[in-house]
Amino acid sequence: MGNMELTGEMKNTAAGDAPGAPEREVAVVASDAPEQQPAGTPDTPDALERELASSAPGDATRPTVIVMHASVGSGHRSAANAVAQALELLRDDPPLRDGVPCPEDLNVEVLDVLDFGRMRMNGDKMASMFTGPTRPIYDLTWRYTLTGRLLWAGGTAWSRIMFPRFTERVRKAKPLAIVCTHITAANVAVGARMITGQSFPIVCVPTDYETEGMWPHLHSDLFCVANESMAETLRPRKVPEERITITGIPARPAFRKTYDKAAGREKFGLPQDKRIVLALAGAYLPTPYVRFREALDKMLPYLHRFKNTHLVIVAGADAEYAAHLRRECEDLGILNATVLEYVEGMAELMAASDLVICKPGGLTVTECLCAKAPMILLGRAYGQENINVRMLTSLGAALHVTTARELVGAMGHVDANPAIVEAMLTQGSFLRRPNAAIDIARNALRLAAAEPSTDARMRKKHFLHFYWGHTPAHIR
C-alpha cells in the first residue's frame, strides 16, 4: 500500500464548535500503487454474456456519457435508466435543453459497476443480507462513517484492487461525464479518473433522502440531491455549495406525465366511487418483502370494515403469490379487493389511486410523490429507509406503520377522516420533482461542456483519502 502520510491543516470552526476555535483537518493519504492489469473471468453463461456486454466499449468515435449504477436492488438501476433516457431526450429534442450544450451524436451508456468486478458479486444477494438479523448493524453503520466526522473523500483503492476493467473502459471511452446512482459506482468512477488522468466531471445522484458517509465527497464535481436536508448533510462534509444542487430523485419518464384518474380506473377495471388503496407487494427481490406480505395477509380479514375502500394488491411477476392472494380473498368472501400481477403502466395506476401502501424505498416513495399518491409506509425501517420514513412523516406527507394491527388502524383512521389524504397530498407537493431526471441530465451536460475544474485538491491522486468533517447536521 506504500507509505502512509498524515497531513494536517488548520480550518475555520464549524457550526456547533466553540467560537473562534480552530479546527484541524486530518487527511490520511496513502501513496498510490503501480497500476494492475485487468483480471477475472466469468463462471456462468449469464456471466459470460454480461462480460461481453460490459467489456465491449461503445462507439469510441462518438462523445459519450456513462450512467452507472449497481444492481443492488432495482432502485439504483431504475434511477440510472431514467437519467439515461433524459440525456437521450435532450439529445433528440434541442428546445428541451434550455440552452445547455449537447452533442448531436451523443452516445449514452448505462453500466452496472458490478459487471466489471474482479470478483463476481451478486448485488441482489447483497441487498437481501440487510433484511434479516443484520438489519440493526446496517442501520448503525449506514448514516455516517464512524463518529460522523471521519469521512471518505475518494481514492483509487477499489479501482485498482476490484475494478481495473472499468478503468480500462474509461481509458478507451474518454467519457464527457459519468453520472453515478450508487455509492460503489461513484467511488470506482473517481478512482478511474485519478488513474487515467482524465478530467471528465463526476455527478453523484443518491437515490434516497440522505447521503452515506462513504460517497467520494471531495472528489465529486456535483451532488444532485433530493431536498435541502441532504444539502445540510453535505455542507459539514466540506462539499462546496457550488457542488450541491437540489434536483429531486430521478423517476422514470412515465412519472412526468399527468393522468386522468377516472380513465385510469376504467382501464384497470376499478370502481369510480370508492377510495382506491394500492398495495405494492410485487418484488424484484422477494426477501425484503416477506414481512410486508405477512402484514398484508393479516390485514385482509379486516377489509370488510372499510365499505368505502377498494384494495388493489400488485403481486408483480410472482404468480404464486398472486394465486395465494386470490384464494385468501375468495375464502374470506372479500369483494372489495383486486389482485394484479405484473402491471404495464404503473404510473397511471398510482395516479388512479387515492392512497398507496408501500415499503419506504427511495425510488418507490419518489414515484408515489410524482404520481400524487399519498402513502402508508409499512414495515420497520433501517438505514436509508429509516431516513426516508423520518423525512416523509415529519413533513406530513406519509403515515408509517410497522405491524398489521397498526395498518388496520391507519386505514380506519383514514376511512373516518378522509381529509388526511388531502393533507398528505398537499405536504407531498413540497417534495415532488417529476423533472428530476431532466434537471440532472442538464447539469451533467453543462459540466461536460465547461472548463475542467482547476481545484488541485479535487484532481489529486490518492490511494486512500479520509478527512475530518464538521459536526454532522443531523445527529441520530
Side-chain angles (χ1 to χ4, degrees):
M1 207 169 88
N3 297 325
M4 189 71 73
E5 178 186 4
L6 190 64
T7 64
E9 182 181 358
M10 303 302 288
K11 293 292 181 182
N12 292 329
T13 115
D17 289 338
E23 183 185 67
R24 186 173 180 83
E25 181 187 59
V26 178
V28 180
V29 181
S31 60
D32 227 345
E35 190 168 339
Q36 301 177 23
Q37 294 300 315
T41 56
D43 50 12
T44 67
D46 288 343
L48 177 59
E49 189 174 299
R50 289 197 304 271
E51 170 90 15
L52 293 173
S54 65
S55 296
D59 186 350
T61 64
R62 294 173 59 190
T64 297
V65 173
I66 295 175
V67 185
M68 292 179 69
H69 66 90
S71 53
V72 182
S74 59
H76 306 289
R77 179 191 301 110
S78 178
N81 286 331
V83 173
Q85 289 167 335
L87 284 163
E88 292 173 343
L89 187 59
L90 294 181
R91 178 195 62 197
D92 300 334
D93 188 357
L96 191 61
R97 298 175 196 165
D98 196 22
V100 175
C102 176
E104 298 294 336
D105 59 343
L106 179 68
N107 177 46
V108 182
E109 294 182 3
V110 179
L111 303 178
D112 180 355
V113 68
L114 299 187
D115 284 340
F116 293 86
R118 191 186 294 273
M119 294 169 46
R120 289 299 178 194
M121 292 180 286
N122 187 315
D124 298 337
K125 290 182 179 178
M126 289 170 62
S128 298
M129 287 171 60
F130 304 115
T131 60
T134 60
R135 288 183 301 174
I137 300 173
Y138 178 57
D139 189 39
L140 288 172
T141 60
W142 183 85
R143 181 113 181 240
Y144 296 116
T145 303
L146 300 180
T147 63
R149 297 190 65 173
L150 180 60
L151 298 161
W152 171 246
T156 65
W158 279 14
S159 293
R160 289 196 182 281
I161 297 169
M162 292 295 296
F163 297 96
R165 288 195 304 118
F166 180 74
T167 299
E168 290 306 307
R169 180 67 170 266
V170 167
R171 193 189 304 279
K172 294 174 182 177
K174 296 181 174 61
L176 295 178
I178 297 184
V179 181
C180 304
T181 64
H182 189 272
I183 187 172
T184 303
N187 278 293
V188 171
V190 165
R193 184 174 66 183
M194 288 180 178
I195 294 169
T196 62
Q198 298 180 30
S199 296
F200 56 81
I202 294 173
V203 179
C204 294
V205 185
T207 56
D208 288 285
Y209 289 83
E210 190 54 285
T211 51
E212 297 184 42
M214 292 297 287
W215 282 92
H217 298 102
L218 301 189
H219 293 275
S220 299
D221 294 78
L222 189 67
F223 275 88
C224 294
V225 297
N227 55 17
E228 182 61 31
S229 177
M230 295 178 72
E232 290 177 351
T233 296
L234 291 173
R235 291 184 189 110
R237 296 178 182 179
K238 301 186 180 178
V239 178
E241 193 68 38
E242 63 270 17
R243 295 183 194 161
I244 305 171
T245 185
I246 298 173
T247 59
I249 295 173
R252 292 172 285 174
F255 287 91
R256 293 200 296 269
K257 299 179 182 179
T258 300
Y259 300 93
D260 180 79
K261 180 168 285 194
R265 292 186 176 191
E266 183 177 357
K267 175 180 176 178
F268 291 102
L270 304 177
Q272 300 284 352
D273 59 344
K274 297 290 181 70
R275 180 183 302 106
I276 302 298
V277 177
L278 175 64
L280 301 180
Y284 179 75
L285 294 175
T287 307
Y289 275 79
V290 169
R291 291 178 176 81
F292 184 94
R293 290 178 172 183
E294 287 176 353
L296 285 182
D297 282 354
K298 293 177 182 177
M299 180 270 292
L300 283 177
Y302 300 91
L303 198 56
H304 296 288
R305 296 181 180 179
F306 312 122
K307 304 299 183 183
N308 295 321
T309 295
H310 189 89
L311 179 67
V312 181
I313 305 177
V314 175
D318 193 338
E320 183 179 346
Y321 177 59
H324 159 76
L325 288 170
R326 293 188 179 109
R327 286 194 302 271
E328 285 292 300
C329 289
E330 184 177 354
D331 291 345
L332 294 169
I334 296 172
L335 302 178
N336 57 333
T338 298
V339 178
L340 301 176
E341 295 183 32
Y342 181 80
V343 172
E344 291 283 356
M346 181 58 73
E348 188 174 8
L349 178 58
M350 284 186 179
S353 305
D354 297 297
L355 190 63
V356 175
I357 302 171
C358 60
K359 278 176 58 64
L363 260 293
T364 299
V365 302
T366 296
E367 290 178 348
C368 288
L369 290 168
C370 291
K372 300 181 181 179
M375 294 160 272
I376 296 179
L377 306 173
L378 173 58
R380 293 189 181 278
Y382 295 86
Q384 73 275 23
E385 291 190 353
N386 184 22
I387 305 301
N388 297 341
V389 166
R390 292 167 65 177
M391 184 273 302
L392 289 165
T393 55
S394 66
L395 291 176
L399 300 175
H400 179 223
V401 299
T402 59
T403 65
R405 181 181 300 177
E406 287 183 321
L407 176 59
V408 172
M411 290 183 64
H413 192 49
V414 168
D415 200 50
N417 304 277
I420 292 173
V421 174
E422 290 300 319
M424 288 194 291
L425 186 61
T426 299
Q427 295 303 108
S429 66
F430 294 104
L431 295 168
R432 187 178 305 117
R433 292 179 179 269
N435 295 316
I438 294 288
D439 291 339
I440 292 166
R442 286 196 187 112
N443 276 290
L445 291 172
R446 189 178 292 114
L447 282 173
E451 291 293 324
S453 172
T454 58
D455 188 341
R457 295 171 301 175
M458 191 171 173
R459 293 295 187 261
K460 190 174 180 180
K461 186 184 295 187
H462 302 295
F463 186 71
L464 296 170
H465 187 185
F466 296 92
Y467 72 105
W468 285 116
H470 296 308
T471 302
H474 306 131
I475 304 294
R476 279 195 186 276

